[in-house]
Amino acid sequence: MTHILHIDTSPRLERSHSRSLAREFLEQWKQHHPEATVTYRDLALNPVPYIDETWVRAKFTPEDDYTPELENAIALSDQLVDEFLAADRYVLSAPMYNFSIPAVLKSYIDYIVRPRRTFAVTQNGFQGLVTDRKMLLVQARGSDFRPGSAYDAVNFQEPYLKTVFGFIGITDIETINANGLNIELRDREIAAAKSTIQTLAATW
């Protein structure tokens, strides 16, 4: 049985395009996979705190050497990693903020990219441990960041997300993008995103 972890990040809540598109995709996808289960995490309503020095010490300390302080500091990270690893697929929705991702998403990523949990350090370098999984990125952008556009070169949102999740082993990543939502491209881009949703809902 397929289990999806659905993560929303936009603080706009019901006015969010990324949330709306991700929700529409899941509704259509579940028609093809009624037996699937979904765990939902809303990082805008329930943000994870920024990491601190104690957390960093815990991250690089073997579990057998944890003090009560370190064990407490890493507890939420363990919970988030366990939840992440329990999923077979991921639907992650995110708006573009200042050419990249919202801070709440970056903080979450810091919590789940963990040595010995989601990646390993080997003699041959880093090795992702989260393999044989799929991810769908649902991304909304106010301006035109389409390939070949004037702002394409400063799109650090999608390259970063594909890089960091690829680092932990997730390389099968699809995208649904809606660009130009604050300019004249809006209606055309939303229509294109909805068309992609129909295709992926039947094949993903």
Side-chain angles (χ1 to χ4, degrees):
M1 181 186 302
T2 301
H3 179 63
I4 287 179
L5 175 59
H6 174 198
I7 301 172
D8 276 332
T9 65
S10 174
R12 296 184 69 187
L13 304 180
E14 292 306 312
R15 297 187 302 116
S16 165
H17 294 291
S18 59
R19 286 173 178 264
S20 176
L21 292 170
R23 184 167 56 246
E24 183 172 337
F25 169 80
L26 279 169
E27 288 172 354
Q28 293 192 31
W29 186 86
K30 287 170 69 176
Q31 293 178 10
H32 298 277
H33 305 273
E35 78 290 349
T37 57
V38 178
T39 294
Y40 180 64
R41 179 165 293 276
D42 192 325
L43 293 177
L45 293 178
N46 298 287
V48 297
Y50 297 130
I51 62 175
D52 57 17
E53 195 275 339
T54 306
W55 187 93
V56 174
R57 283 196 290 121
K59 174 181 178 179
F60 292 104
T61 299
E63 288 187 30
D64 291 343
D65 297 329
Y66 279 174
T67 63
E69 179 188 32
L70 296 182
E71 187 172 353
N72 182 66
I74 207 72
L76 176 58
S77 178
D78 282 337
Q79 176 187 337
L80 294 173
V81 171
D82 288 344
E83 178 183 80
F84 193 81
L85 294 178
D88 307 295
R89 301 188 183 194
Y90 310 93
V91 174
L92 170 60
S93 79
M96 175 183 279
Y97 279 7
N98 298 317
F99 310 107
S100 187
I101 61 174
V104 292
L105 178 53
K106 178 57 168 66
S107 187
Y108 173 81
I109 289 170
D110 289 341
Y111 269 68
I112 66 167
V113 178
R114 289 263 309 274
R116 302 181 302 276
R117 296 298 311 275
T118 55
F119 75 92
V121 182
T122 73
Q123 291 182 339
N124 297 319
F126 296 112
Q127 177 183 348
L129 301 178
V130 190
T131 57
D132 299 321
R133 289 164 166 89
K134 294 184 177 183
M135 176 172 282
L136 174 64
L137 301 176
V138 183
Q139 302 167 116
R141 302 160 186 153
S143 294
D144 185 4
F145 289 86
R146 293 175 300 173
S149 69
Y151 291 113
D152 180 27
V154 291
N155 173 8
F156 303 113
Q157 178 192 34
E158 186 170 317
Y160 170 71
L161 291 174
K162 286 185 173 180
T163 297
V164 72
F165 286 110
F167 175 76
I168 63 173
I170 304 172
T171 57
D172 188 344
I173 301 178
E174 299 279 1
T175 59
I176 296 172
N177 295 322
N179 289 278
L181 298 179
N182 294 334
I183 57 177
E184 67 278 0
L185 288 174
R186 174 175 174 163
D187 291 344
R188 186 171 69 188
E189 281 289 292
I190 290 179
K194 290 179 177 290
S195 177
T196 303
I197 285 173
Q198 290 184 343
T199 300
L200 284 178
T203 60
W204 189 65

